[in-house]
Amino acid sequence: GSESRDTQGRGTHGVSFSADGLRWQPYEHNPVLRGYQRGDAASAAMLQFGPTPEGPRDFPTARYALFPKVHVEIGQQSHDVPWRRRCFTVCTSIDDPDVHPFSQWTEPMLVLAPDALDDDMANERLATAKPILLRDHPDDHRCEFYGLVVWRSGDVFLGLIWVYDAAFELSRIGGGSEYATVEVQLIASRDLIHWHRAGNRQPVIARG
C-alpha cells in the first residue's frame, strides 16, 4: 500500500490493483486506512487457500491480512521522553459482496513491538558491529521493527521481520531519523496476534 498524509496529518494507506503485475491502477476510493502515528510501510498476506478456505482462528472469514507499521511510545530515552518506536499492527479484510475485497479493513491491532530483551540484544549486536559503525551514541541505542513480510504455510503463518538497531540519533547533527543496523529474524503465528520469535531471536539472514 502507498502511504501519505491527509489534511489532518494522519497517515494514510491506499491500494492498487493489477491483472499482470506490470500495470497498476490505484483504487478510486483510496485511502483505505488512515490514522495517527502510522508508519510508511504495510505488507499483505493471503489467509485462505483451497476449495474450502478458512482463515485463522480469530479471523475465520477474512481473506487477507494487512500489516501496517505504526510508531508507539515504548521505554524511556535519556531525557525521560518515551521513544517513538516502529512496531507492527494487523488488520484483516472485511468481506462484502458489494465492494472490492481489498478495500475495507478492520481497525489495526498492535501485535509486534520490541521489548526489554530486544533492547539488550540490540546493545550486544551494536557492540559487535562497533568497528563498522560510522556513528554511535550509547544513549540512543534501542531496538525497533522496520519491516515485515508474512505468508501462510499450511496452518501456520511465517514472517520475516526487519530488526532495526538504532545506534545514533541523527537529530544530534541536524538530521532526521536514525543511523542503524538491520538484520532479519523469523517469526511464526497460528492466529496473527500472538507471534513466536523463532531461533532465540537470532538472524536468519546475516548482514552483508
Side-chain angles (χ1 to χ4, degrees), residues 25-47:
Q25 180 65 41
Y27 179 51
E28 61 181 340
H29 300 300
N30 277 337
V32 296
L33 281 177
R34 68 178 76 222
Y36 294 105
Q37 313 302 347
R38 294 287 162 83
D40 58 358
S43 62
M46 183 178 290
L47 302 185

Side-chain angles (χ1 to χ4, degrees), residues 40 71 83-84 86 135 140 142 144 146 164 166-180:
D40 58 358
H71 298 272
W83 292 115
R84 290 183 63 246
R86 300 165 176 88
R135 301 187 184 279
D140 299 342
R142 65 189 183 278
E144 303 188 16
Y146 197 84
Y164 179 98
F168 184 85
E169 281 291 312
L170 293 175
S171 59
R172 294 181 181 276
I173 56 173
S177 195
E178 303 83 30
Y179 181 79

Side-chain angles (χ1 to χ4, degrees), residues 13 31 66 73 75 78 82 93 100 113 130-132 141-142 155 157:
H13 289 282
L66 198 64
E73 292 185 351
S78 56
S93 59
H100 199 285
K130 194 170 183 62
I132 65 170
H141 290 185
R142 65 189 183 278
D155 61 353
F157 294 91

Side-chain angles (χ1 to χ4, degrees), residues 116-195:
L117 178 56
D118 283 308
D119 282 345
D120 289 343
M121 296 181 78
N123 268 318
E124 294 173 2
R125 289 188 292 264
L126 290 170
T128 301
K130 194 170 183 62
I132 65 170
L133 294 179
L134 300 179
R135 301 187 184 279
D136 186 35
H137 196 296
D139 289 345
D140 299 342
H141 290 185
R142 65 189 183 278
C143 181
E144 303 188 16
F145 296 153
Y146 197 84
L148 175 66
V149 178
V150 174
W151 69 97
R152 183 169 184 167
S153 178
D155 61 353
V156 175
F157 294 91
L158 301 176
L160 295 176
I161 192 163
W162 304 4
V163 177
Y164 179 98
D165 295 334
F168 184 85
E169 281 291 312
L170 293 175
S171 59
R172 294 181 181 276
I173 56 173
S177 195
E178 303 83 30
Y179 181 79
T181 61
V182 178
E183 66 175 35
V184 179
Q185 297 179 9
L186 181 67
I187 59 175
S189 175
R190 293 187 183 275
D191 60 10
L192 301 179
I193 298 173
H194 305 94
W195 290 87

Side-chain angles (χ1 to χ4, degrees), residues 11 64 108:
Y64 303 99

